Amino acid sequence: MNPIIPKSPEVPKLSESEIDFLTHTVFGPEKTIIKCDALFVFSGTHPGHWEKALEAYNETGVDKIIVTGGNSLTGKKNPEWQFDNQTEADVIIDYLIKNGVPAQQIVSEKSSTNTLENVKFALDVFDFSQIKSLMFICKSHATGRQLRTLTKYLPENIDYIPYTFDAEYSGNIVSRQEWFNSDIGRSRVWGEYLRILHYGEKGDITPLKMN
């Protein structure tokens, strides 16, 4: 998934109903947190990827964790990243193990460079046909797109539960409840919506069904 759509595009004027639609589409469903058969960790350089993975493990006691991520082709890392050129998966795994997660409960791929590859490459290291429920870690405003990537490639009978964290840009938190209150929040969410449309049309993710 090359960054064809700008991260922060210009946003049209939005009505209340359009804001509600974008919230549901971009942030995905709200579900009760329960123990799932496995935990899928989308890669990234934001500390939320490993901190939330550990939090989800401690909260639910999930038995298997699938960690993804090589190095992004964009080369842009979170300002808090202090791990040089280590793969994103290695950083996440090291954090989990140092904080008590048994290594044998973790499977990983360390070659993917984007969300699409996170999912496709994970298919080579884990048999998803053996599970019925999957929790996944990602930024809250990426949930809709990343959920649609999972549903495109994994078995149809899996139930998905997002376990997310809010990112901050220019001092503004992009959350489900507050994104529309800042220019950067509106722009980031609008960009995610455009990517959902683009990758759906391209066939990379489950397309959005428009009424």
Side-chain angles (χ1 to χ4, degrees):
M1 291 184 179
N2 293 321
I4 298 171
I5 310 291
K7 289 287 187 183
S8 300
E10 186 174 344
V11 186
K13 186 175 181 179
L14 301 172
S15 67
E16 283 192 28
S17 62
E18 288 169 333
I19 287 173
D20 288 343
F21 170 77
L22 287 172
T23 300
H24 176 77
T25 301
V26 171
F27 288 85
E30 294 183 281
K31 291 195 173 182
T32 301
I33 300 303
I34 60 172
K35 181 179 180 180
C36 291
D37 295 328
L39 173 67
F40 188 99
V41 186
F42 279 100
S43 66
T45 59
H46 189 293
H49 289 278
W50 47 92
E51 291 172 354
K52 280 293 180 177
L54 178 65
E55 183 180 301
Y57 171 80
N58 287 333
E59 182 176 349
T60 68
V62 64
D63 297 319
K64 188 64 68 174
I65 303 175
I66 305 122
V67 178
T68 68
N71 288 294
S72 172
L73 295 177
T74 67
K76 295 180 180 179
K77 299 184 184 299
N78 186 276
E80 295 184 50
W81 180 268
Q82 300 177 353
F83 307 99
D84 298 321
N85 291 319
Q86 289 187 60
T87 68
E88 293 164 13
D90 277 325
V91 171
I92 295 168
I93 292 167
D94 287 348
Y95 183 86
L96 293 175
I97 292 175
K98 287 177 182 177
N99 285 279
V101 179
Q104 62 269 24
Q105 290 184 230
I106 303 171
V107 297
S108 65
E109 65 79 21
K110 303 177 183 180
S111 301
S112 61
T113 62
N114 55 45
T115 294
L116 177 60
E117 291 182 354
N118 287 167
V119 176
K120 295 180 78 171
F121 292 3
L123 289 166
D124 295 330
V125 299
F126 187 79
D127 182 6
F128 289 93
S129 69
Q130 300 302 307
I131 66 171
K132 300 296 184 184
S133 58
L134 184 67
M135 182 175 288
F136 62 98
I137 305 292
C138 67
K139 290 179 181 176
S140 59
H141 70 285
T143 303
R145 176 168 54 87
Q146 297 189 321
L147 173 59
R148 290 175 181 281
T149 310
L150 291 167
T151 59
K152 173 72 177 182
Y153 297 97
L154 302 192
E156 293 182 0
N157 62 338
I158 295 177
D159 182 38
Y160 297 94
I161 296 181
Y163 199 103
T164 68
F165 59 94
D166 297 329
E168 180 178 329
Y169 304 98
S170 304
N172 294 284
I173 300 296
V174 182
S175 69
R176 187 183 198 98
Q177 296 77 23
E178 297 288 338
W179 68 267
F180 45 84
N181 289 328
S182 67
D183 289 340
I184 188 66
R186 285 172 174 253
S187 186
R188 286 279 171 162
V189 168
W190 183 249
E192 276 298 324
Y193 173 64
L194 295 180
R195 275 185 284 282
I196 288 172
L197 292 180
H198 173 75
Y199 293 127
E201 292 172 356
K202 188 180 176 184
D204 287 341
I205 68 176
T206 301
L208 180 64
K209 293 181 179 179
M210 306 294 285
N211 293 330

